[in-house]
Every structure is written in C-alpha cells, then in structure tokens.
Amino acid sequence: MPLQQQLSSAVHCSPVSLCSVHVGLPAGAHEVLTKTSLGRRYTRFFGSKGDAAPALSHYALTHYEEWERKIDAWQNPILENSQLPSWYKSALFNELYFMTDGGTIWMEVPPDCRAEDLQGPAGAGLSHLLPVLQEYGRFAYLEGSSAIPREAPCSPDGSGMKCSPDPWCPIDNCEADEHGVVGQAPKANPQAMGKGLAPSPSLSAQVFPKSHVLSALRTIFEKNVLSFAGGTMGAVNGMRPDGVPDTSSVQSNEVWIGVVYSLAATMIQEGMVEEGFRTAEGCYRTVWERLGMAFQTPEAYREKKVYRSLAYMRPLSIWSMQLALEHRAGRASAPAPLPQGPAHP
C-alpha cells in the first residue's frame, strides 16, 4: 500500500463490549545502499522485488500472538524475580531500544559472498564464520554521532573534507590533534577492561590470579565508585590516589556507561554482587532519572551534567550482568537477595 493512501477499518461493537482492530504496517525498504546494494534479511523469505509489504503484513498479523508468548517466556523469569531490583529490570530491557532505534540493520549475506567482501581485508578473519553468516544474515549498525568520512579529517588549511568511495567508517574514543587529525585516545580502567575479556571464572582463573583480580576490583570500587560523586554515579574512568578524579585527558574524568556495566558484571562474576549492583545502579539513576536521557543513553557523562554521544551502543553490555548472574545461579542453589543501593539525590 503506498504511503500516501489512507488506512481505514471498521468494526461493530455491541454495547458494553470491547473490540480491537489489529493493523500491520510493514516497512518495505528491501535494499540497503552502501558501496553496493544489499538486501535486508526478510528478502530471503519474501523476495527482493520491493513488493513484499502485503505478505509481510499478513505474516505479522498471523504470528504476532506467538511472538508475544515467546517474549513473555523470555522476560517473565526476570521480571518476576523478586531478588532483582526494579531499576535493574528497567535497565536490562529498556536498553534494548538500541536494537531498533540505533540504525540497526539485519542484512542478507549473498550465497556467493566471500569473507573479505564483508569487511574489506580484515574480513578474511571471518572466513570460519561465513557459513553461519550466510545462514542467519549479518546484523549491522550505524553510529551517526561517531562516524567520520574515511581518509577525510579536517585538513590544516581548512580546505574541507575529501570522501572516499566508502565514506563512513565507525570510530571509537577518538580525539583530534592540533591539525584536526583523528587519532585513537587512551583508555582508562585497564585492569577492569582487561579482566572483562575473560568470559568465565574458570578461564579468568587461568589468566589472572584471583587474588589480583579481587584486589583490582576492590580498589576500583573504593576509588572510582565510592570516592566519586558520593558513590551515586557509577565508576569514573580515572581517579588519582588522593581521591581526586583525573583530569589529565578529555576522557579520564568521564563515566562510560557501557564499560561500567561490564565492570559490574565482572564484580558479580567474582562474587562482589553487592558492589556490582551499586556500581551499575549509579549509571542507571544518573542517565534515566537525573539527566532525563531515557532511551538515548550516552556513551559518557561527567559529574557536572556534561554528556557525550547520545544513543550509544555500549550500554547494551548490561546484558553481561545478566549472564554473570546466570552463571552464579548455575553454581549456587539460590543467590542472596540483592540490595537496592543508596537513595539518589
């Protein structure tokens, strides 16, 4: 149905009755234009001629009840768990807004696609995953606020930018020098980040001595969490030994929400459950309640209501907290009730 046409429906309701009308409104944009034209995932099942809207609408209207049942089966065990604080349940599911609102695209991978076609020369390392990608498609996203034209930093003479054939490339944690050239910035909290690379306690024990891990996490909790903003805003990236936030770089006195959620997951994984939840709660309260940035979680903020890069992907790492909790539940008969944490100002 063309967008300019009106959509109307009629239903007869008897007195003192409840009626409902179900409407399917599919998006029929079947192609994604980058360097080449790529089809969206649904084109495998509904064709790539651009005429699939009626079939998509019919499929949605005949399957939505099944989808709702599956969503309930997925979410209810968490929502009905009285041991989990309400703010955590809110953050866990509401941060998923990025999956649909973050420029995300589920693309079909052509049967004749080569690994290097997916991501340039670096894509050759994905060759072992190519059969999986060809079967299930490729999930991609765009970070509009964190993308610059490739090979096109602002030139020293102010002559502007020159775009390459593939102009958009993602950048992370980048700064510009005195000539406007973008470069990789140093990251704070290396102990927490490095530890977060180990996906399970058994693996981490083979790489990092547990006593060292716990010592690092306790130091971070004491210095970067409790000594920053009264322990109510998460973990600041850099903290000096004297308890003063490090201001030596652009990002050292920031809180990175996604990194904090990963840090909290690591704490939970290592048995520091109360500390992990208090650390993560500071980020949730700051973003969703004090700053009013619900459904547009930034990459970073500072203590004095300064933020950067709205609607960022990394806060989805809160699901690593859920993974850590599930790992703990598999090892213990029943986890202890989780604290609600300090009241926020």
Side-chain angles (χ1 to χ4, degrees), residues 1-8 25:
M1 177 185 296
L3 291 178
Q4 67 268 23
Q5 291 188 4
Q6 294 182 348
L7 178 66
S8 63
L25 186 62

Side-chain angles (χ1 to χ4, degrees):
M1 177 185 296
L3 291 178
Q4 67 268 23
Q5 291 188 4
Q6 294 182 348
L7 178 66
S8 63
S9 179
V11 63
H12 175 73
C13 280
S14 302
V16 196
S17 64
L18 179 66
C19 299
S20 61
V21 176
H22 301 277
V23 177
L25 186 62
H30 62 287
E31 288 184 314
V32 180
L33 299 178
T34 57
K35 286 189 299 184
T36 59
S37 176
L38 299 174
R40 293 181 184 268
R41 170 66 171 170
Y42 76 78
T43 58
R44 170 179 292 197
F45 311 101
F46 295 93
S48 57
K49 297 180 180 180
D51 58 356
L56 286 169
S57 181
H58 178 269
Y59 189 83
L61 290 172
T62 55
H63 287 78
Y64 77 92
E65 291 180 334
E66 176 188 356
W67 299 339
E68 290 177 345
R69 287 193 296 269
K70 290 182 177 180
I71 291 172
D72 288 341
W74 163 46
Q75 294 186 347
N76 284 345
I78 296 173
L79 297 176
E80 296 173 357
N81 186 344
S82 60
Q83 296 179 323
L84 297 174
S86 296
W87 68 262
Y88 171 75
K89 299 173 185 178
S90 171
L92 190 68
F93 290 113
N94 286 333
E95 286 293 356
L96 292 173
Y97 80 91
F98 189 90
M99 300 296 289
T100 56
D101 202 31
T104 46
I105 305 171
W106 194 5
M107 298 184 298
E108 176 73 339
V109 175
D112 58 349
C113 179
R114 301 172 302 167
E116 51 267 32
D117 294 332
L118 297 175
Q119 199 173 339
L126 299 175
S127 57
H128 64 294
L129 294 177
L130 187 56
V132 177
L133 294 173
Q134 288 175 333
E135 177 65 24
Y136 295 103
R138 182 186 182 199
F139 197 69
Y141 72 95
L142 299 174
E143 291 183 3
S145 61
S146 298
I148 59 170
R150 188 189 303 273
E151 302 173 354
C154 295
S155 56
D157 59 2
S159 60
M161 296 185 174
K162 176 183 177 182
C163 293
S164 67
D166 182 18
W168 295 107
C169 61
I171 60 172
D172 263 336
N173 313 318
C174 292
E175 297 173 339
D177 62 14
E178 65 272 19
H179 301 302
V181 178
V182 174
Q184 189 71 14
K187 292 182 178 179
N189 268 346
Q191 295 180 89
M193 287 179 145
K195 175 62 179 62
L197 296 177
S200 68
S202 59
L203 178 58
S204 66
Q206 300 175 35
V207 181
F208 306 99
K210 187 173 181 65
S211 60
H212 292 194
V213 171
L214 291 174
S215 176
L217 292 175
R218 288 168 182 153
T219 300
I220 292 171
F221 182 69
E222 176 186 351
K223 297 293 185 181
N224 298 63
V225 179
L226 297 183
S227 298
F228 175 70
T232 63
M233 294 185 71
V236 68
N237 276 342
M239 179 66 74
R240 297 171 58 87
D242 57 2
V244 177
D246 182 4
T247 59
S248 62
S249 72
V250 174
Q251 299 170 336
S252 59
N253 65 341
E254 290 182 332
V255 176
W256 292 358
I257 297 90
V259 171
V260 171
Y261 286 152
S262 296
L263 169 63
T266 304
M267 290 177 172
I268 293 171
Q269 175 178 286
E270 298 301 328
M272 297 173 59
V273 179
E274 180 176 352
E275 293 88 343
F277 271 81
R278 180 167 180 178
T279 299
E281 182 179 7
C283 281
Y284 174 83
R285 302 285 188 193
T286 299
V287 172
W288 289 77
E289 296 179 357
R290 293 197 284 276
L291 295 181
M293 293 182 175
F295 302 104
Q296 52 181 340
T297 306
E299 177 188 13
Y301 58 77
R302 294 180 182 172
E303 185 175 5
K304 301 302 181 182
K305 294 187 178 181
V306 175
Y307 66 88
R308 179 166 57 80
S309 297
L310 284 177
Y312 208 66
M313 182 189 76
R314 281 187 188 149
L316 287 169
S317 66
I318 192 171
W319 280 90
S320 64
M321 293 180 62
Q322 183 62 25
L323 181 62
L325 287 170
E326 291 174 1
H327 282 169
R328 283 183 54 80
R331 298 197 309 268
S333 56
L338 299 172
Q340 294 291 329
H344 62 88

